[in-house]
């Protein structure tokens, strides 16, 4: 006659589980042994990997209150060249993906950012001197903004593309295509939200990016690369360098294999030099308006920072003719 209740196997499993829980409780109650904290090492992000700078240099990153936060890699000219090479290698494959697939890939980044909300909030709070609740609100807005831009992946071509009337038996279409390799200089004042607001627009339409992070507040940018590395974004599509802007930006602006440059985060004293260097090989430029002071720009203002024209700035318009009929 069968007995009711737990089987011997289930009783054994439950017993083992209770024993393990009791053991864990005993360990937790005992005096914790001294241990060495595993400190995070902030590296560069190039080609989907996390190398240290080839120069071996680093610089001190402090919080808004002057507290030592970390030593960040101080990238070199060679690191810039390696990042551009990685971006060029990845650009064609990323551009070849369907718009819907790029949107899905970028939405996955937002999902992973959601899982790291607290970590991002801690780093933003330390970098920008914010209370925890305010930092968390900025992180949430950064995730929402990433989703907003990802949603444009399969829509921007419908908005900018067209079927043009012509006085001949031809179809005439205008189709937006990615520019190629885009250099992005991140804002100095907003370590995550401003960074996302400048990084997402060129990515959405199939460009590969070399990004120079905030010099004083680079840590959230490196944490974002850890998200990118574990998402479906192919290695080399995004490359992030930390270091001295005065050293890195002119090299990026002068590089012949960079097709466009977002100069939003370029310091005012470098702006003329950078634009002159970029003009030598006719790079496409996206400038921060001279009437907009970076320190006063409100990255929380969706009307000001969620702009389809920021996506359009890194698109080339291609016109195609095709005969009508057989």
């Amino acid at each position: 006659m069968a007995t009711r209740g737990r089987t011997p196997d289930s009783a054994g499993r439950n017993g083992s589980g209770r024993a393990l829980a009791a053991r864990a409780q005993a360990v937790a109650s005992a005096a914790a042994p001294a241990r060495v904290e595993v400190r995070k090492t902030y590296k560069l992000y190039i080609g989907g990997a996390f190398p240290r700078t080839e120069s071996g240099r680093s610089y001190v990153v402090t919080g808004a209150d002057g507290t030592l936060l970390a030593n960040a890699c101080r990238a070199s000219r060679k690191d810039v060249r390696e990042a551009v090479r990685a971006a060029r290698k990845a650009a064609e494959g990323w551009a070849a993906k369907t718009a819907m697939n790029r949107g899905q890939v970028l939405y996955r980044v937002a999902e992973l950012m959601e899982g790291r909300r607290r970590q991002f909030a801690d780093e933003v709070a330390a970098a920008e001197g914010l209370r925890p609740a305010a930092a968390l609100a900025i992180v949430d807005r950064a995730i929402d903004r990433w989703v907003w831009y990802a949603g444009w992946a399969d829509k921007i071509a419908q908005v900018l593309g067209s079927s043009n009337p012509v006085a001949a038996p031809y179809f005439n279409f205008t189709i937006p295509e990615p520019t190629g390799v885009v250099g992005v200089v991140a804002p100095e004042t907003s370590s995550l939200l401003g960074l996302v607001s400048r990084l997402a627009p060129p990515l959405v339409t199939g460009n590969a990016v070399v990004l120079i992070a905030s010099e004083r507040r680079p840590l959230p940018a490196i944490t974002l690369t850890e998200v990118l590395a574990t998402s479906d974004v192919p290695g080399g599509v995004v490359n992030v360098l930390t270091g001295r802007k005065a050293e890195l930006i002119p090299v990026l602006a002068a590089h012949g294999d960079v097709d466009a440059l977002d100069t939003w985060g370029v310091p005012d004293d470098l702006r003329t030099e950078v634009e002159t260097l970029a003009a030598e090989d006719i790079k496409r430029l996206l400038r921060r308006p001279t009437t907009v002071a970076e320190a006063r720009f409100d990255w929380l203002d969706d009307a000001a920072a969620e702009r389809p024209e920021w996506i359009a700035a890194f698109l080339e318009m291609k016109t195609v003719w095709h005969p009508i009929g057989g």
Side-chain angles (χ1 to χ4, degrees):
M1 180 176 179
T3 58
R4 300 179 63 185
R6 293 176 298 173
T7 64
D9 284 346
S10 65
R13 287 195 296 270
N14 289 337
S16 298
R18 286 194 295 270
L20 182 60
R23 173 63 178 154
Q25 182 62 40
V27 170
S29 301
R35 61 180 296 272
V36 177
E37 180 185 359
V38 179
R39 299 294 299 273
K40 183 174 178 179
T41 303
Y42 292 87
K43 302 178 183 177
L44 308 178
Y45 185 60
I46 301 175
F50 291 91
R52 290 181 171 86
T53 172
E54 60 82 29
S55 69
R57 300 177 302 171
S58 64
Y59 71 103
V60 173
V61 177
T62 58
D65 60 357
T67 303
L68 172 65
L69 298 179
N71 291 305
C73 282
R74 183 175 170 181
S76 68
R77 299 168 64 95
K78 183 177 180 182
D79 293 320
V80 174
R81 293 194 294 269
E82 291 295 331
V84 173
R85 187 177 293 113
R88 177 58 65 190
K89 184 177 179 181
E92 184 176 351
W94 180 240
K97 290 184 179 294
T98 65
M100 183 180 71
N101 183 236
R102 279 198 303 272
Q104 292 171 330
V105 169
L106 294 177
Y107 185 81
R108 174 63 177 160
V109 173
E111 291 178 346
L112 296 175
M113 290 177 70
E114 187 79 24
R116 290 197 180 208
R117 287 173 67 241
R118 293 292 175 183
Q119 180 183 0
F120 276 118
D122 289 344
E123 291 185 343
V124 170
E128 301 180 21
L130 300 174
R131 294 181 181 276
L136 192 60
I138 284 179
V139 172
D140 288 344
R141 189 66 63 87
I143 297 170
D144 294 346
R145 186 153 298 159
W146 193 279
V147 171
W148 190 88
Y149 276 109
W152 274 97
D154 59 355
K155 301 175 182 66
I156 193 70
Q158 299 175 57
V159 173
L160 298 180
S162 64
S163 175
N164 309 313
V166 293
Y170 296 98
F171 291 115
N172 181 269
F173 303 105
T174 298
I175 304 167
E177 292 187 343
T179 298
V181 174
V182 177
V184 175
V185 183
E188 197 61 36
T189 56
S190 182
S191 59
L192 182 65
L193 182 55
L195 167 71
V196 164
S197 300
R198 304 314 305 173
L199 174 60
L203 282 183
V204 165
T205 52
N207 295 290
V209 172
V210 176
L211 182 138
I212 297 177
S214 167
E215 181 175 330
R216 292 183 288 111
R217 301 166 172 174
L219 305 190
I222 298 302
T223 297
L224 180 61
T225 65
E226 295 169 1
V227 169
L228 295 169
T230 53
S231 71
D232 297 325
V233 177
V237 169
V238 180
N239 306 273
V240 177
L241 305 174
T242 57
R244 304 301 186 195
K245 283 187 171 181
E247 182 179 0
L248 301 177
I249 297 173
V251 180
L252 184 64
H255 199 295
D257 211 17
V258 175
D259 302 301
L261 192 64
D262 180 345
T263 64
W264 187 283
V266 174
D268 289 338
D269 61 341
L270 288 178
R271 192 166 295 275
T272 299
E273 176 190 359
V274 165
E275 292 186 2
T276 300
L277 290 170
E280 290 182 1
D281 60 352
I282 321 178
K283 284 182 178 60
R284 179 181 288 264
L285 279 180
L286 179 60
R287 298 181 178 93
R288 170 169 49 85
T290 55
T291 57
V292 176
E294 182 187 341
R296 295 184 179 181
F297 188 80
D298 183 7
W299 292 103
L300 288 165
D301 183 355
D302 291 340
E306 293 181 348
R307 310 293 298 181
E309 55 265 38
W310 289 358
I311 302 174
F314 301 112
L315 288 172
E316 304 286 345
M317 306 309 291
K318 178 180 179 181
T319 299
V320 179
W321 295 75
H322 192 281
I324 297 175

